Amino acid sequence: MTVALIDSGFGLLSTAGWLRHLAPELDLLLLLDPEGAPWGPKTASFVTDRLLTAAQLATERGAEAIVVPCNTATVTAIDALRERFEPRVPVIGTVPAVKPAAATGQNLAVWATVRTTESDYQDRLIAEFANGTRVARIACPGLAEAIDHGDTAAAAEAIADAAGRTPRDCDAVVLGCTHYPLVAPEILRSLPAGTTLYDSAEAVARQALRRLHRTREAGGVLGSIDVVLSGRPGHLPTGAHAYPVGRALAAAARVPREALISATTRASAAAPAV
């Protein structure tokens, strides 16, 4: 059984890691879009077109579920995706973890991309689940892009900026972009001691398994991991190696056939004549 995860960049890593942990027998198809990234500042029509194109490729590759581990793509295009592919292929989106965070009664801040922060979707989510709790909306320009590039200095600068705009009496921060959990330790260090972080990667992975009526199969064979970059087979970009889950997924991913042929050709050319 194959599950496809679609994002412009590394936002899919955390959810893919949880799927690998919860159901290691699943085959994972990771579709990134380095040629179109980042999606955050792009128009809605651009994001929708890239998402639909990737999803079509995923279904042609045998995907039986499509996960969109990207808040921006979810708020922009999840309805179009579901209209195209459901009920034949379940589509699972991602929303900020406002509901479980608000249930604690803590003062909240939601860190997200500019597009998600300004979206009606996030406003409705807060209105429905915040239960009157004060919620600070903190846009984090540049943070997702820095994470995609493995640029720790730029990420630290963006984190410090967001932390400086976060009210000091916030007890919890909801990570409203799927890239941000990759730098959760750095985010925690920028906030007052005792601040709780909430993200949705595990919940999205579990929802995907529920939609597939799937439970963990003990003792099963490990599923494959394939990577597609803007429509072509490839490797996880080197920036993914900056994060533990990225290194683990990269180590388990299959080498594309084209890369094997290329490596064999180079080795043959370099071999000494006998």
Side-chain angles (χ1 to χ4, degrees):
M1 178 173 285
T2 300
V3 175
L5 297 95
I6 306 173
D7 188 18
S8 64
F10 295 157
L12 54 68
L13 294 179
S14 294
T15 304
W18 272 107
L19 280 170
R20 188 72 166 175
H21 172 70
L22 294 169
E25 76 284 354
L26 290 178
D27 295 326
L28 301 181
L29 180 60
L30 311 181
L31 297 104
L32 296 83
D33 186 23
E35 293 178 5
W39 285 351
K42 301 296 197 304
T43 64
S45 60
F46 180 93
V47 174
T48 301
D49 180 67
R50 304 297 278 202
L51 193 60
L52 289 173
T53 299
Q56 182 62 42
L57 175 60
T59 58
E60 291 171 359
R61 292 277 300 265
E64 295 165 81
I66 296 169
V67 179
V68 184
C70 173
N71 299 87
T72 294
T74 296
V75 302
T76 302
I78 199 71
D79 291 339
L81 200 64
R82 285 174 172 156
E83 183 178 353
R84 173 80 64 87
F85 294 100
E86 287 193 336
R88 180 172 57 91
V89 178
V91 175
I92 298 91
T94 301
V95 297
V98 172
K99 183 178 180 179
T104 67
Q106 298 174 308
N107 290 329
L108 306 178
V110 179
W111 286 24
T113 64
V114 174
R115 188 185 192 94
T116 299
T117 300
E118 295 176 347
S119 70
D120 292 338
Y121 192 98
Q122 180 170 288
D123 285 344
R124 291 195 299 271
L125 190 69
I126 290 170
E128 183 175 359
F129 295 116
N131 299 318
T133 300
R134 180 170 59 84
V135 179
R137 296 163 171 82
I138 308 296
C140 304
L143 181 53
E145 291 83 354
I147 292 168
D148 268 343
H149 290 103
D151 188 337
T152 55
E157 184 177 345
I159 289 168
D161 174 65
R165 291 181 285 110
T166 301
R168 306 307 289 176
D169 63 346
C170 281
D171 305 302
V173 170
V174 175
L175 302 180
C177 171
T178 53
H179 287 66
Y180 300 172
L182 296 173
V183 291
E186 291 82 357
I187 291 174
L188 276 174
R189 284 196 292 269
S190 75
L191 297 168
T195 303
T196 303
L197 295 185
Y198 290 85
D199 79 86
S200 50
E202 180 182 358
V204 171
R206 291 186 182 278
Q207 175 64 2
L209 296 178
R210 281 193 292 270
R211 293 290 304 275
L212 289 168
H213 307 290
R214 197 81 173 177
T215 58
R216 181 168 180 161
E217 297 177 3
V221 176
L222 278 177
S224 63
I225 299 177
D226 290 286
V227 178
V228 175
L229 304 176
S230 298
R232 295 181 295 277
H235 305 274
L236 279 175
T238 55
H241 293 253
Y243 315 106
V245 66
R247 292 193 293 273
L249 292 169
R254 291 196 292 203
V255 178
R257 181 173 180 273
E258 293 86 344
L260 284 172
I261 293 172
S262 176
T264 302
T265 301
R266 289 196 304 271
S268 298
V274 293

